[in-house]
Amino acid sequence: MSKPENRVLTRDNQTSDNFYESDQILQERLRQSLPAEVRDYLEKKLRKLGKQAAAQMDDWSLSADDHPPELKKRDRLGNNVDEVVFHPAYQKLMKTAVESELFYLKYHPDMAGRFRGARHRMGFALGQLYAMSELGQYCPHCMTDGAAYIIEQFCTPGMQQRLLPRLGARDPAQNVTGAMFLTEKSGGSDVGANLTEAEKIEGAGYHLNGEKWFCSNVNAEVIMALARTGPVAKGTRGLSLFLVEQVLEDGTCNPMEIIRLKDKMGVRSMATGEVRFDGTQGTRIGEEGEGFKIMAQMINISRTYNSVAALAGLRRAIIEAWQYLNHRITFGKRAATHPMIRDKFRELGAEYLATFMLVWRALDAMDAAENGNQRERDLFRILTPMVKWISAEQSVYGVRECMELMGGNGYIEDFVMPKIFRDVNVLPIWEGSGNIIVLDILRASQKSNGLQYLFEFIEEAAGRSQHYDSLLGTKLDKIKRVWGDLQSSDDREALESAAKPLFRELIRCLQLALLAGEQGDANTTRSQLALRYLAEVEERDLGTVQPMPPDELEILIGWHYRE
């Protein structure tokens, strides 16, 4: 009898060498969602980025995380320079993103209008693969996308012609990045408490004065900043939006000081800082006092990035644990075959698929809304905060569970799991923490038809479903009854207190409806496996849990890395 080997993993252990080719769930969704012309354009780019994400990007990401950016305040002669110095790995990651056409296919004038009905889904398909390896730099990419969108929608043709070719460049030597300087010490999420002032000067410009407290991608060349042109008493209605460029058109530096960089728990590869405006030149975008209304569109883009980042982090964690435990021998057999571990993967796989379906439904609405569909515009308005909230929470929970599944090695920095865990913990906080998000869902429910459209969608799904009609119908009836009671009351505090559990229940009901409505053989099988588990959880009694057979579990996870 041969002596057992003292190894962490079996000799046949494998990992994916291409995150796109291995991901059956993403591939199937893109086949369903995107027109053939779009898929033809995108396919090679997805395969290339999927390979980079599984190989070089992973090493660069760990290096950039180990060597976060540093702020160089002065040069050797004592001149103020306020330069953010990055590790070379960060620049390689940036080059990869730019060359992938993450921005080019959406905003470069060469592509104007070509993929307008699908461009956001195209960008987020690439982004999901990118963020599976590098979540930190995905934030600067988010800021760049948002800044380009605001310029495209609200700025003068001259500004568009000057800035969009650079924000949408696919040549790293030409590319510039964007940022959003929004919050201040005085208010945080209460943006209406902002104190930064904008003073009108001769011509069309303004001078901005004040401090911005949380500035992600602090080194950006193109910045969107809120400043007050009206009294503080007017709250957000006194705020206007300004385009602030790091270098002015005459080549001189725009005066602004980076006070310090934040020492963050996660997403350490990118620079977040505090900035002081001191006579900083800015160009107003839109009407005076309409700044927050315009900025809200950039925030919606940021929340969508947050949701895709949550998907990417959770997907990567599940796959790391899945690959590891399929090649880890414990108690005489492969760890992934133990019943309790199979049940945990069943939970994680079902929750991931339910969250994936919800996020991608919001992306469908995003593109359709841009194409002029008012119903989808209302749906996107309410889905955006819903998806941001639930995907972030699920990502943090799921990554923690995957870390535990891997045991001690899941906690060791030689592996990628600690970095993923640090990175995803920012997602429930950025772009509006949970309570702020719930208040926004409440506003969307009262100011658009989005909630009614969600009710109608769930009712239709219940009507089509043979096995889950009762579950969906019962849950929806309860939600509608509670919502109606709250709406008829004048008690604002009661409404806000009840909103969080009510909307959480609605989101779960919507996830069940999305899974129940899936069509197509392979996807239906996977969706039905997830739906069956989630329905069991809703109605579970002690002693009724059955582990999923290994072949079904492989279908649910949807990750192919073996020959």
Side-chain angles (χ1 to χ4, degrees):
M1 182 180 292
S2 61
K3 183 178 178 180
E5 291 186 281
N6 189 8
R7 300 177 59 86
V8 173
L9 299 178
T10 58
R11 286 185 178 273
D12 65 341
N13 78 85
Q14 297 181 55
T15 58
S16 169
D17 62 3
N18 190 310
F19 285 170
Y20 175 67
E21 293 178 355
S22 294
D23 195 337
Q24 296 169 347
I25 295 173
L26 180 61
Q27 288 183 49
E28 287 166 0
R29 181 65 188 193
L30 297 181
R31 280 197 296 270
Q32 288 181 333
S33 174
L34 297 178
E37 177 199 0
V38 173
R39 296 199 307 272
D40 289 344
Y41 183 87
L42 201 56
E43 185 74 12
K44 287 184 180 179
K45 302 179 193 312
L46 290 166
R47 293 187 185 279
K48 179 180 178 181
L49 185 59
K51 186 173 184 178
Q52 291 172 316
Q56 309 103 305
M57 273 187 65
D58 220 30
D59 292 335
W60 297 336
S61 178
L62 289 169
S63 294
D65 189 70
D66 287 339
H67 302 89
E70 297 179 356
L71 177 61
K72 181 180 179 182
K73 291 291 293 182
R74 288 186 167 187
D75 65 15
R76 62 190 178 88
L77 298 177
N79 300 307
N80 292 332
V81 292
D82 273 0
E83 179 186 0
V84 181
V85 181
F86 292 94
H87 188 270
Y90 183 91
Q91 306 297 353
K92 293 176 182 177
L93 289 166
M94 183 63 72
K95 181 174 183 289
T96 301
V98 171
E99 291 179 343
S100 77
E101 298 193 10
L102 200 60
F103 315 113
Y104 176 82
L105 63 83
K106 294 181 73 171
Y107 296 111
H108 197 279
D110 289 350
M111 303 295 283
R114 180 173 176 184
F115 296 122
R116 193 165 181 81
R119 63 172 181 165
H120 293 297
R121 284 170 292 174
M122 295 172 74
F124 284 118
L126 290 164
Q128 185 171 329
L129 296 173
Y130 187 96
M132 282 183 69
S133 271
E134 173 51 23
L135 273 168
Q137 201 183 88
Y138 199 49
C139 176
H141 302 331
C142 161
M143 296 291 101
T144 301
D145 192 324
Y149 184 81
I150 294 297
I151 291 168
E152 177 191 69
Q153 297 296 315
F154 297 100
C155 287
T156 64
M159 293 170 72
Q160 293 169 359
Q161 292 164 12
R162 183 166 58 83
L163 294 173
L164 288 178
R166 300 193 66 197
L167 287 163
R170 59 179 170 181
D171 177 0
Q174 300 297 318
N175 174 254
V176 296
T177 64
M180 174 173 64
F181 291 3
L182 184 62
T183 59
E184 298 183 12
K185 287 185 286 188
S186 58
S189 295
D190 180 9
V191 178
N194 281 8
L195 298 174
T196 296
E197 296 180 344
E199 178 186 359
K200 195 167 179 43
I201 55 176
E202 281 190 31
Y206 287 77
H207 279 161
L208 276 60
N209 295 280
E211 287 188 20
K212 292 296 180 179
W213 178 242
F214 225 98
C215 305
S216 292
N217 199 30
V218 72
N219 56 299
E221 292 90 349
V222 179
I223 298 159
M224 298 294 162
L226 287 176
R228 190 164 293 286
T229 51
V232 176
K234 286 191 175 181
T236 58
R237 288 173 294 175
L239 294 169
S240 298
L241 181 63
F242 296 89
L243 170 66
V244 176
E245 297 182 67
Q246 189 184 93
V247 178
L248 300 173
E249 287 191 72
D250 62 6
T252 60
C253 290
N254 204 353
M256 65 181 103
E257 179 191 3
I258 302 175
I259 300 168
R260 63 170 177 169
L261 299 184
K262 303 281 194 183
D263 187 7
K264 305 187 298 292
M265 169 183 161
V267 291
R268 298 177 63 84
S269 60
M270 49 82 65
T272 304
E274 300 164 23
V275 171
R276 179 181 292 114
F277 292 141
D278 186 6
T280 307
Q281 292 188 39
T283 302
R284 197 186 74 220
I285 298 174
E287 296 299 319
E288 189 170 313
E290 294 288 311
F292 187 76
K293 183 178 178 181
I294 299 171
M295 180 68 94
Q297 301 198 40
M298 187 171 179
I299 293 171
N300 279 338
I301 289 176
S302 298
R303 286 177 174 174
T304 307
Y305 266 84
N306 206 89
S307 303
V308 173
L311 268 188
L314 178 55
R315 186 63 168 164
R316 179 65 188 278
I318 291 173
I319 296 320
E320 288 296 314
W322 176 250
Q323 293 176 155
Y324 183 89
L325 291 169
N326 269 288
H327 298 286
R328 177 77 166 155
I329 303 298
T330 59
F331 302 102
K333 60 181 181 179
R334 293 181 186 252
T337 64
H338 289 291
M340 283 189 285
I341 290 178
R342 296 209 314 266
D343 194 55
K344 177 53 67 174
F345 274 123
R346 185 187 186 199
E347 176 200 357
L348 293 170
E351 291 288 359
Y352 172 80
L353 188 60
T355 304
F356 178 91
M357 295 294 297
L358 189 63
V359 171
W360 276 84
R361 179 61 186 90
L363 297 181
D364 289 342
M366 189 178 193
D367 273 326
E370 187 172 85
N371 238 22
N373 188 315
Q374 183 59 50
R375 182 186 178 95
E376 292 294 305
R377 183 175 290 114
D378 284 354
L379 280 169
F380 181 64
R381 173 66 185 89
I382 195 169
L383 282 172
T384 299
M386 282 183 168
V387 168
K388 189 274 179 189
W389 176 36
I390 216 67
S391 64
E393 283 194 353
Q394 186 58 43
S395 188
V396 172
Y397 167 76
V399 173
R400 197 214 71 83
E401 293 294 293
C402 290
M403 179 180 283
E404 181 180 341
L405 280 173
M406 288 180 65
N409 282 334
Y411 197 72
I412 300 302
E413 294 286 349
D414 290 344
F415 295 81
V416 75
M417 199 67 76
K419 178 182 180 295
I420 300 172
F421 186 63
R422 289 194 301 273
D423 288 351
V424 298
N425 266 276
V426 77
L427 299 175
I429 300 169
W430 273 359
E431 312 309 338
S433 56
N435 292 335
I436 298 297
I437 288 291
V438 171
L439 291 175
D440 195 35
I441 299 172
L442 193 56
R443 279 192 294 274
S445 301
Q446 296 170 323
K447 295 186 176 182
S448 77
N449 294 318
L451 184 63
Q452 182 58 40
Y453 295 150
L454 292 183
F455 289 163
E456 291 172 5
F457 174 79
I458 296 168
E459 285 173 348
E460 291 169 5
R464 292 194 308 268
S465 175
Q466 295 180 351
H467 302 293
Y468 302 102
D469 54 338
S470 177
L471 174 61
L472 286 169
T474 300
K475 288 175 73 68
L476 181 59
D477 286 345
K478 181 180 178 181
I479 291 166
K480 292 171 73 173
R481 183 175 65 254
V482 172
W483 176 249
D485 291 343
L486 290 169
Q487 287 293 94
S488 63
S489 170
D490 293 330
D491 190 342
R492 179 68 187 185
E493 289 198 355
L495 177 61
E496 290 187 8
S497 296
K500 183 175 281 189
L502 176 67
F503 290 139
R504 192 183 295 278
E505 185 76 358
L506 174 61
I507 291 169
R508 174 56 87 201
C509 197
L510 178 58
Q511 288 176 315
L512 295 172
L514 286 165
L515 290 168
E518 273 297 275
Q519 302 296 320
D521 293 341
N523 232 351
T524 298
T525 301
R526 183 172 293 116
S527 296
Q528 290 301 312
L529 291 173
L531 182 57
R532 189 172 71 201
Y533 171 80
L534 296 175
E536 284 178 12
V537 170
E538 295 289 330
E539 303 172 331
R540 177 176 287 182
D541 294 320
L542 289 177
T544 62
V545 180
Q546 293 294 324
M548 182 174 279
D551 58 335
E552 291 188 356
L553 194 56
E554 289 199 9
I555 293 171
L556 179 61
I557 297 295
W559 189 259
H560 181 76
Y561 67 98
R562 298 187 183 91
E563 292 297 331

